[in-house]
Amino acid sequence: QDKLLEAMSIVSSQLISSIPYDKTITCTIVDDEYKAEGKYTVTNGDATFDAYSSDTKLKKEDVVYVTIPEGDYENQKIIQGKKTNGNEKR
């Protein structure tokens, strides 16, 4: 029974690790030339790529949260919002 449970645990762990999931990372906007179209160029320090947002008021050097659908950088990246430090006035 112990061997069977161990085998089931290994199989389920492998299945879970193979499921694609969205990944959200912190990036900095490095180019906002096309912000009117909701397109921004961002970097996470390792890579630079385009990400899209419905918010056209973001600007260069804003730090934003970017979602990578299914963790696949070939998919269209989506800016979820601007990262705040909690000190902003309302």
Side-chain angles (χ1 to χ4, degrees):
Q1 286 180 343
D2 288 339
K3 292 289 184 184
L4 178 60
L5 291 174
E6 184 178 341
M8 288 173 45
S9 176
I10 291 169
V11 169
S12 64
S13 293
Q14 289 174 343
L15 287 173
I16 290 171
S17 68
S18 69
I19 296 173
Y21 59 93
D22 292 351
K23 180 178 180 182
T24 300
I25 59 174
T26 304
C27 294
T28 302
I29 296 174
V30 294
D31 186 356
D32 63 1
E33 181 178 355
Y34 298 102
K35 68 181 177 181
E37 293 87 29
K39 179 181 175 182
Y40 298 89
T41 302
V42 300
T43 184
N44 66 356
D46 294 327
T48 301
F49 50 87
D50 291 332
Y52 297 83
S53 175
S54 58
D55 183 350
T56 57
K57 295 180 182 176
L58 298 170
K59 58 188 180 296
K60 189 174 179 179
E61 304 210 8
D62 280 350
V63 178
V64 293
Y65 293 108
V66 178
T67 297
I68 317 303
E70 299 177 349
D72 183 350
Y73 281 81
E74 295 297 315
N75 291 332
Q76 180 174 306
K77 279 70 74 188
I78 304 157
I79 297 174
Q80 296 299 327
K82 184 177 174 182
K83 182 178 179 183
T84 62
N85 60 15
N87 295 330
E88 287 76 19
K89 294 181 181 179
R90 293 180 184 216

